[in-house]
Amino acid sequence: DTGVSQNPRHKITKRGQNVTFRCDPISEHNRLYWYRQTLGQGPEFLTYFQNEAQLEKSRLLSDRFSAERPKGSFSTLEIQRTEQGDSAMYLCASSLEGAGEVEAFFGQGTRLTVV
Amino acid sequence: AQKVTQAQTEISVVEKEDVTLDCVYETRDTTYYLFWYKQPPSGELVFLIRRNSFDEQNEISGRYSWNFQKSTSSFNFTITASQVVDSAVYFCALKDNQGGKLIFGQGTELSVKP
């Protein structure tokens, strides 16, 4: 297994444009999480999926943000009408809940810069 | 409220010194998991260790050891004989029992100089 994979690694976009990020979790993992990390801070939870169901969304996830996990495999995070405040590292993590493993494994992140 | 506090923003040591990273947490849960992650400049968060709240035995794994004290809500992490490759930002995290999301501290940037 190659671990959690995120694409693209870097994205520069103009304010007002839409962007989409992709996360491929570890294949047998049933949970998938999205976090946002700004400079000098710890990651902050955005949302998570149990298989294909989105079960929790943080108040950080404004209506410009949407996430999907079709068929419980890969996930996408879309930001519409980007703002400069959206500039951050977006991290994806996956875990296998219910099988005695409790740790989450992270991808390398997508660094978004909104200019 | 659930919260993780890492009071040390930056630590600088010389290679081969031991270094301890502090972590204090708050939780309403009676059972919970705590973690340490390492984030090198590449950006990926690397899982290091986990500890559950119902086992207070402290452990050692190679150059890593941890001191979990439920009475003081602390989960400190020690690197013995530090190496330059240990230079990174280290995060302490608490797992929320409702859904499993991680609540992170603000991180401690460790710099190990040769």
Side-chain angles (χ1 to χ4, degrees):
Chain A
D1 198 321
T2 57
V4 179
S5 176
Q6 291 188 247
N7 287 289
R9 293 290 312 281
H10 303 273
K11 178 72 176 178
I12 300 175
T13 190
K14 291 183 179 178
R15 190 173 50 187
Q17 297 293 305
N18 299 344
V19 293
T20 299
F21 311 140
R22 177 178 171 128
C23 172
D24 288 272
I26 294 172
S27 58
E28 68 270 21
H29 283 186
N30 50 13
R31 283 204 183 162
L32 187 148
Y33 301 84
W34 285 99
Y35 293 84
R36 183 174 71 184
Q37 185 179 23
T38 53
L39 199 62
Q41 302 296 317
E44 295 176 291
F45 169 75
L46 292 177
T47 188
Y48 91 94
F49 294 84
Q50 173 86 21
N51 299 312
E52 67 274 11
Q54 188 175 17
L55 296 185
E56 186 178 351
K57 291 192 273 189
S58 160
R59 57 181 173 76
L60 293 176
L61 210 69
S62 77
D63 55 7
R64 295 186 297 106
F65 288 68
S66 63
E68 295 182 344
R69 192 184 182 197
K71 302 177 184 178
S73 56
F74 70 92
S75 176
T76 57
L77 178 68
E78 181 183 15
I79 309 174
Q80 296 182 326
R81 305 181 303 281
T82 52
E83 302 172 355
Q84 286 189 322
D86 297 331
S87 295
M89 174 79 89
Y90 290 84
L91 292 162
C92 175
S94 69
S95 67
L96 180 62
E97 296 292 323
E101 299 178 18
V102 295
E103 54 267 23
F105 295 91
F106 283 79
Q108 289 187 297
T110 294
R111 184 170 295 284
L112 173 66
T113 302
V114 182
V115 298
Chain B
Q2 309 216 83
K3 186 179 177 182
V4 175
T5 302
Q6 294 179 253
Q8 304 151 308
T9 306
E10 298 178 14
I11 298 177
S12 182
V13 299
V14 176
E15 204 170 20
K16 297 184 184 176
E17 285 185 10
D18 298 347
V19 57
T20 295
L21 310 180
D22 297 335
C23 173
V24 174
Y25 61 93
E26 296 174 31
T27 181
R28 57 181 175 269
D29 296 328
T30 53
T31 61
Y32 47 87
Y33 284 91
L34 294 159
F35 303 84
W36 277 95
Y37 283 84
K38 173 182 178 181
Q39 188 174 43
S42 61
E44 179 180 357
L45 277 160
V46 178
F47 164 73
L48 295 177
I49 58 170
R50 75 173 189 217
R51 176 82 272 167
N52 60 54
S53 60
F54 42 90
D55 183 357
E56 288 201 53
Q57 181 178 354
N58 293 310
E59 296 184 25
I60 297 173
S61 175
R63 294 188 300 111
Y64 298 155
S65 62
W66 46 101
N67 185 347
F68 172 54
Q69 302 234 344
K70 204 168 181 178
S71 59
T72 55
S73 297
S74 66
F75 183 50
N76 298 336
F77 175 65
T78 298
I79 303 174
T80 302
S82 59
Q83 301 174 2
V84 173
V85 293
D86 295 328
S87 297
V89 181
Y90 288 80
F91 290 97
C92 179
L94 169 68
K95 183 173 180 176
D96 183 271
N97 285 341
Q98 301 297 323
K101 66 178 178 284
L102 294 173
I103 298 145
F104 287 88
Q106 290 193 302
T108 298
E109 184 171 5
L110 174 64
S111 177
V112 181
K113 301 186 187 311

